[in-house]
Amino acid sequence: FFFFKQKTAYEISACLVGSEMCIRDSNCVAWLIFPMTDNTILLCLSRFLSGFFQVFLVIYFPVWVDTFGGKNSTIWLTILQLAVPIGVMFGYAMTAFFITLDLWKWSFYTQIVLLIPCVLIFLTFQSRNINFIEVKKSQKIKNEKILTDPLQTHGGTLDVEEKKNFSYLENVKTLWERKVYTFTMLGISSLYFVITGIQFWISDYIQVELGVQKEKVYVAFSLTSITAPTFGVIFGGSVVSKLGGYESPNALKLCLVFAILAMVFAIPFPFLDIFPVVIFFLWMLLFFGGALMPPLTGIMISSIPKQLRAIGSSTAQLFQNLLGYVPAPTVYGMVLKTYDSHRSGMTLLMWWSILGVLLIGLALFYQQNLLKQAGGENTNEQLNQPLS
C-alpha cells in the first residue's frame, strides 16, 4: 500500500497544473477502483493512473519551492523532503491499523477523503501565488539586466525568456548543456539507485548473510528507514540554510562532503557480519543520503533558467526513474542469480555510491569554473545567482 503524503501532495499539485477538476477526479477515481475490484486488468489500470497523476507533484513541487520560496527556499525544500519519510511512517501505521481490523480497503478510502479538504483549500488560491509564468513575466526586466553575467549565460546562450518556442528535444539539449544540472541530476539518480536497492533487498540480505530472524530485521530496518532520513534531511537543510541556502557557492561543496561521508559508510558495508554494526552503518548511510537531498535538489533546479525549470524537473524525474528506481532491484537480482550470493549484489549496490561522489565532484568542478569566469569584478550577489 502507498503512503498518504504522496497522494495528498499530488492532489495539491494537480489543482495547480491546469486541468484541475479533471485531474483531481481522475486521481480519486483511480484509487477508488483499486479496493472495489479483484480484476487484474483494473488493478493494473488503477496503479498506472495513480502513478501517472502523481507525476505532476514530482515535477512541479521543487519548481514551486524555488519560485515562491524566496529566502526560505532551502527551508521549504527541506520540509518537502522531510514529508516523505513522515508520510511513509503515518501511512504504513494507518494501513497496519486497518489490516488488524480486516479493513484494508479503508486505506484507500481514507486517502480519498483526506484529499478533499486539500483540494478545497488550494482552489481558493489566487493564480499569482501558484503560477510561475506570471512570475517570469514580472521578472523579465530584471532578467534583461543580467544578460552579460556568465553565471546566467552559458557559452553566450541567453537565459531570459525568448519569444521563440523551442521543441521538447531542443529544450532537453539545452538542459544537457548545463553541466551543473546534468551532473547533479545524475548524482541524485545514483543515490536513488542505492536507496531503492536497499529498500528492496536489505531484509533478505541480513536474513541470509547474517542469519538474523526476520521479525528482528523488520523492526530494526523500519526504525532505521524512518529515523535516519528524517534526521538527515533536517540536519542537511539546516546546515545549508546557515551557509546561505542552496544558491550559495558553498552549498555544492557541502553536498560533496555529505556524499563522501555516505560513501565511507557504504563501501565497507558488504563485509560486515555483526548485526548491530550493520544497522549502524546503514543508519549513517541513510542519514547522510537524506542530508544530501534538499541542497542537491535545490542546486539542480536553480542551475537552469526559470522558463526551463518545469521541463528540467520532469527530465530529472525521468532519468532518476530510468537510472535509479527501475534498475536497482533488477541489477541486484541479476548479480544474485549469477553469483548465487547476496553479498555480491550488496557490494555492487553499495559501491555504486562511488559513482555518485564522482558525479557531484564533476558538478562542483564545473561550478567552480563558472565562478572563475565571473572573476573578481562580480559581486557576492552575482555569485549567488543560479549557476549553470
Side-chain angles (χ1 to χ4, degrees), residues 183-201:
F183 288 118
T184 52
M185 179 264 289
L186 294 176
I188 294 175
S189 299
S190 66
L191 175 63
Y192 284 158
F193 182 92
V194 177
I195 299 302
T196 304
I198 290 174
Q199 292 176 338
F200 270 82
W201 289 104

Side-chain angles (χ1 to χ4, degrees), residues 187-350:
I188 294 175
S189 299
S190 66
L191 175 63
Y192 284 158
F193 182 92
V194 177
I195 299 302
T196 304
I198 290 174
Q199 292 176 338
F200 270 82
W201 289 104
I202 192 65
S203 297
D204 291 343
Y205 171 81
I206 295 178
Q207 292 178 56
V208 174
E209 297 294 339
L210 276 64
V212 181
Q213 295 179 348
K214 64 179 181 179
E215 291 81 6
K216 191 175 182 180
V217 174
Y218 291 156
V219 172
F221 179 64
S222 297
L223 293 175
T224 300
S225 61
I226 292 172
T227 58
T230 301
F231 289 120
V233 166
I234 295 174
F235 175 76
S238 60
V239 172
V240 172
S241 181
K242 292 180 180 179
L243 290 178
Y246 56 75
E247 292 187 352
S248 167
N250 294 319
L252 195 51
K253 296 178 182 178
L254 184 63
C255 288
L256 182 60
V257 172
F258 287 153
I260 292 174
L261 290 173
M263 181 188 68
V264 167
F265 286 97
I267 290 178
F269 186 89
F271 308 104
L272 302 174
D273 294 316
I274 302 176
F275 181 60
V277 177
V278 168
I279 293 299
F280 171 76
F281 271 68
L282 181 62
W283 197 96
M284 297 301 294
L285 169 61
L286 296 178
F287 174 84
F288 287 112
L292 185 65
M293 284 305 299
L296 197 59
T297 303
I299 292 169
M300 179 188 71
I301 294 297
S302 64
S303 65
I304 53 179
K306 288 185 180 295
Q307 69 269 19
L308 290 179
R309 290 181 182 177
I311 190 173
S313 181
S314 64
T315 301
Q317 290 300 322
L318 173 63
F319 280 93
Q320 287 161 15
N321 278 278
L322 293 177
L323 303 178
Y325 290 120
V326 174
T330 304
V331 172
Y332 185 106
M334 292 173 60
V335 174
L336 173 62
K337 183 177 180 180
T338 302
Y339 295 97
D340 194 25
S341 171
H342 275 278
R343 203 173 294 271
S344 298
M346 189 59 65
T347 300
L348 172 67
L349 192 66
M350 292 299 180

Side-chain angles (χ1 to χ4, degrees), residues 58-71:
V58 177
I59 292 174
Y60 280 96
F61 241 149
V63 179
W64 286 325
V65 169
D66 182 77
T67 303
F68 301 104
K71 296 181 180 180

